[in-house]
Amino acid sequence: MERAEAGEINSNECENESRKKKMSEEFEANNMDSLVDMPFATVDIQDDCGITDEPQINLKRSQENEWIKSDQVKKRKKKQKDYQPNYFLSIPITNKEIIKGIKIVQNAIIQQDERLAKAMVSDGSFHITLLVMQLLNEDEVNIGIDALLELKPFIEELLQGKHLTLPFQGIGTFGNQVGFVKLAEGDHINSLLEIAETANRTFQEKGILAGDSRSFKPHLTFMKLSKSPWLRKNGVKKIDPDLYEKFISHRFGEEILYRIDLCSMLKKKQSNGYYHCESSIVIGEKNGGEPDDAELVRLSKRLVENAVLKAVQQYLEETQNKNKPGEGSSVKTEAADRNGNDNENHRK
């Protein structure tokens, strides 16, 4: 009996131990389930609970990706630090009414302060800047030309055969340092903004550093104090609003978007005062039928090239005719015949 009782006790103890072990395992399982839902699970419970090494591998990869991203950000910041725009997309101002109105404003300001003549922009340079960029070599210039050409179909699709008219009204300044003619409010500004954003995206997608930190504000600059450091040295530190007060709401006229140029800020300007132009796109057809200066230059070049080509072709044809087989020998034969006849006549 004692042995049986001892056996029963041992059996009960085993059952109790088994029950405790089972409860312990369920408790640990429940705790694991709750921990896995937490963001730090893969870090905190990995070693204690024998979780596979995949999270650790993923963690290492994540760290490597972070290092790569950090390196890319540093390189990008360095590029941005070294970023000095030297090219820009320009919408040239060719409307004579607008140009005449701006020259009237310039002269009115100079009459009040002759020193500011040094700050005036020449009328051949009047334009709207659509986008600035950095092109460091000939290859990048060619990439820039390709990007400009890609803009043409987008702009024409946006305008759907209509003209984009840009009306200019009023005068404004940037910090009393740059004087400009304002673009009047209207739907045309939204269209111009969309063109500028697409240009920025197109150039950047080709790896070109483009744009700047300031938001795009289309304007037509006619004077800037930075043109002459002499002005600041001689006490001219800002543009006095009183100088252009009577032109605050003046209507200067309308420019139709007809051409966009890729221009250099640093290369020598053209004889008409406009910037050195690498390439252009023409949008639609210009009203009035009269070609502008740039068109006349291109037309003159084509005429000269055609004339030269024609002269070269004519020269080649003449050279080929002289060297054709048979012609030279026939001439010699005729000459020989004439000499023979002359000799016979002398004998007679």
Side-chain angles (χ1 to χ4, degrees), residues 162-202:
K162 299 177 183 177
H163 290 299
L164 180 58
T165 303
L166 306 174
F168 291 92
Q169 181 180 2
I171 300 289
T173 68
F174 292 127
N176 292 321
Q177 299 297 306
V178 176
F180 60 86
V181 175
K182 294 179 179 179
L183 195 59
E185 295 295 327
D187 292 338
H188 52 273
I189 291 183
N190 292 330
S191 298
L192 203 57
L193 286 172
E194 193 169 350
I195 293 171
E197 288 171 2
T198 303
N200 191 13
R201 185 169 60 252
T202 302

Side-chain angles (χ1 to χ4, degrees), residues 25-196:
E25 287 175 352
E26 289 176 354
F27 177 77
E28 287 180 4
N30 291 335
N31 282 347
M32 280 288 296
D33 290 339
S34 62
L35 283 171
V36 168
D37 292 335
M38 295 185 181
F40 53 79
T42 56
V43 178
D44 290 348
I45 64 177
Q46 171 177 291
D47 295 334
D48 293 336
C49 301
I51 293 178
T52 136
D53 283 341
E54 278 189 3
Q56 181 66 23
I57 294 169
N58 292 337
L59 180 61
K60 286 179 180 178
R61 286 177 182 167
S62 177
Q63 288 174 340
E64 288 174 1
N65 290 336
E66 287 299 321
W67 291 333
I68 291 170
K69 287 179 183 177
S70 176
D71 187 51
Q72 289 174 344
V73 169
K74 285 178 182 177
K75 286 181 180 178
R76 197 178 299 120
K77 284 182 178 179
K78 186 178 185 303
K79 279 187 177 180
Q80 290 171 349
K81 186 179 179 182
D82 298 336
Y83 177 48
Q84 292 291 335
N86 59 343
Y87 277 82
F88 65 101
L89 292 185
S90 165
I91 299 174
I93 302 301
T94 59
N95 185 331
K96 293 178 180 179
E97 180 189 355
I98 297 175
I99 295 171
K100 182 180 177 181
I102 293 175
K103 291 178 78 171
I104 290 171
V105 174
Q106 290 177 324
N107 290 332
I109 291 173
I110 292 170
Q111 285 177 4
Q112 298 173 74
D113 191 338
E114 292 182 357
R115 297 174 297 176
L116 290 173
K118 296 179 178 292
M120 297 303 169
V121 175
S122 63
D123 54 5
S125 299
F126 292 155
H127 69 279
I128 296 174
T129 298
L130 200 61
L131 179 70
V132 296
M133 71 200 71
Q134 179 176 271
L135 304 175
L136 296 177
N137 51 52
E138 200 63 30
D139 288 339
E140 290 190 0
V141 170
N142 290 331
I143 293 172
I145 291 172
D146 290 341
L148 175 62
L149 296 176
E150 286 184 15
L151 281 179
K152 180 179 170 70
F154 165 79
I155 296 172
E156 291 181 340
E157 182 181 351
L158 174 69
L159 299 180
Q160 296 182 343
K162 299 177 183 177
H163 290 299
L164 180 58
T165 303
L166 306 174
F168 291 92
Q169 181 180 2
I171 300 289
T173 68
F174 292 127
N176 292 321
Q177 299 297 306
V178 176
F180 60 86
V181 175
K182 294 179 179 179
L183 195 59
E185 295 295 327
D187 292 338
H188 52 273
I189 291 183
N190 292 330
S191 298
L192 203 57
L193 286 172
E194 193 169 350
I195 293 171

Side-chain angles (χ1 to χ4, degrees), residues 204-220:
Q204 288 190 356
E205 284 175 355
K206 289 185 174 291
I208 292 173
L209 288 174
D212 55 29
S213 57
R214 295 170 295 182
S215 58
F216 176 65
K217 183 177 181 179
H219 61 280
L220 199 175

